[in-house]
């Protein structure tokens, strides 16, 4: 499996956000971090790949243009978890996960077992019989991730899935995503703001700024002091800790604190 993006432009109501970007081919087993400051186009890229926005350019999955796929086939191959979750329905968690599993009309005798297994992997099986509208933001985020994972897609598109999670669940979720990407031969594109998480858990990274690709490659290649200065406007170091892990140390901001921030 490969996801190939060439010359992609997209945006909203006549406002271009992505400007003819191309990405390295994203193969199965890849856990790719999408990095960049607010308004750089990360969420727009995921929405476009999910088929939610019109675009110019080419998006090929397994050699087939995305727009040429029947809707049911696209839904079976790609799963998208947005940054802002939909309004909460009055359903139990297990019902919501089963509903996601049956997208596209799929039914199987083992559906319930599959749904329970995914909740267990995410460490939230105790929530199975809870109503969605009684959950915290972090708990809802885990359920949303379960809804995406249970479909066993070829490509998983995640927009800041860690934002409401505590440290333990952030670590557990990233470890699970890395393992599932390899086990299921799945490509995962994940929007992250935490550069340490990208360095520790991802095997690829794309750094965006103002709708353009600044760097793409391994996380260590993308998260360099020069790139951090250019894209984020900070003076930073990337050093190896006593455990052999790379970490980003930010010393100071290089840009004026009154710089305008758009599209947060």
């Amino acid at each position: 499996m490969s996801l190939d993006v060439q010359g992609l432009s997209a945006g909203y109501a006549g406002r271009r956000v992505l400007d003819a970007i191309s990405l390295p081919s994203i193969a199965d087993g890849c856990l790719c971090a999408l990095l960049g400051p607010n308004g750089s186009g990360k969420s727009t890229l995921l929405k476009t790949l999910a088929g939610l926005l019109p675009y110019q350019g080419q998006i090929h999955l397994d050699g087939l243009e995305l727009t040429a796929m029947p809707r049911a086939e696209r839904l079976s191959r790609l799963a998208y978890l947005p940054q802002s979750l939909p309004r909460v329905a009055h359903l139990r968690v297990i019902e919501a996960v089963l509903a996601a599993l049956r997208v596209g009309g799929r039914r199987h005798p083992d559906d319930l077992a599959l749904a329970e297994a995914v909740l267990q992997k995410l460490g939230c099986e105790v929530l199975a019989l809870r109503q969605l509208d009684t959950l915290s933001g972090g708990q809802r985020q885990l359920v949303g991730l379960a809804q995406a994972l249970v479909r066993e897609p070829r490509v998983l598109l995640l927009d800041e899935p860690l934002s409401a999670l505590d440290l333990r669940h952030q670590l557990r979720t990233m470890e699970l995503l890395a393992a599932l990407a390899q086990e299921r031969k799945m490509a995962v594109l994940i929007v992250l703001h935490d550069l340490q998480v990208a360095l520790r858990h991802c095997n690829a990274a794309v750094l965006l700024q103002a709708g353009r690709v600044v760097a793409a490659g391994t996380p260590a290649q993308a998260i360099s002091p020069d790139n951090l200065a250019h894209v984020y406007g900070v003076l930073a170091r990337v050093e190896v800790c006593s455990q052999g892990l790379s970490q980003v140390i930010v010393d100071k901001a290089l840009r004026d604190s009154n710089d305008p921030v758009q599209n947060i």
Side-chain angles (χ1 to χ4, degrees):
M1 194 283 299
S2 67
L3 177 67
D4 297 285
V5 176
Q6 297 293 325
L8 183 67
S9 296
Y12 310 90
R15 180 175 63 87
R16 179 176 287 192
V17 177
L18 301 176
D19 189 10
I21 70 169
S22 296
L23 304 180
S25 182
I26 299 170
D28 56 39
C30 181
L31 179 53
C32 180
L34 297 180
L35 309 170
N38 296 320
S40 58
K42 304 182 298 296
S43 295
T44 300
L45 176 56
L46 284 196
K47 289 177 183 177
T48 306
L49 295 176
L52 301 178
L53 294 175
Y55 63 89
Q56 296 175 317
Q58 298 180 336
I59 303 174
H60 287 107
L61 180 59
D62 290 336
L64 183 63
E65 171 63 36
L66 187 68
T67 54
M69 285 186 187
R71 181 175 181 274
E73 183 178 358
R74 190 168 69 241
L75 288 173
S76 70
R77 293 189 180 209
L78 291 98
Y80 167 62
L81 181 64
Q83 182 178 351
S84 299
L85 297 176
R87 293 183 63 183
V88 176
H90 191 65
L91 293 172
R92 295 187 187 278
V93 166
I94 192 67
E95 293 171 332
V97 177
L98 283 170
L101 179 58
R102 291 165 181 169
V103 167
R106 171 185 169 174
R107 285 185 178 274
H108 190 279
D110 294 333
D111 278 1
L112 181 59
L114 288 172
E116 290 175 337
V118 170
L119 289 173
Q120 186 173 23
K121 284 183 176 180
L122 287 168
C124 55
E125 66 274 16
V126 295
L127 303 176
L129 298 181
R130 290 270 302 274
Q131 298 287 344
L132 286 174
D133 52 9
T134 68
L135 302 182
S136 69
Q139 289 170 332
R140 283 189 59 208
Q141 203 162 40
L142 285 172
V143 174
L145 185 56
Q147 289 177 295
L149 286 172
V150 77
R151 291 166 50 194
E152 299 184 342
R154 300 298 303 281
V155 178
L156 184 58
L157 308 169
L158 304 174
D159 196 350
E160 296 192 46
L162 308 181
S163 60
L165 301 184
D166 58 46
L167 290 175
R168 177 175 179 272
H169 282 97
Q170 287 183 25
L171 180 62
R172 183 167 183 167
T173 297
M174 290 304 300
E175 289 174 343
L176 176 62
L177 290 174
L180 289 178
Q182 295 294 323
E183 175 187 320
R184 297 182 180 180
K185 299 188 181 301
M186 174 176 64
V188 181
L189 281 77
I190 178 170
V191 173
L192 295 171
H193 278 294
D194 192 327
L195 302 178
Q196 317 282 21
V197 170
L199 283 167
R200 179 167 182 176
H201 296 283
C202 297
N203 51 26
V206 174
L207 181 61
L208 296 169
Q209 182 187 39
R212 295 178 180 271
V213 175
V214 174
T218 66
Q221 290 169 331
I223 304 171
S224 68
D226 286 345
N227 286 339
L228 294 177
H230 175 65
V231 173
Y232 290 97
V234 296
L235 181 64
R237 295 166 282 140
V238 181
E239 299 185 351
V240 178
C241 73
S242 60
Q243 300 298 313
L245 302 173
S246 295
Q247 56 184 348
V248 176
I249 302 171
V250 178
D251 294 313
K252 67 176 181 178
L254 296 176
R255 295 176 183 168
D256 188 89
S257 60
N258 294 319
D259 281 350
V261 179
Q262 299 178 354
N263 308 319
I264 292 179

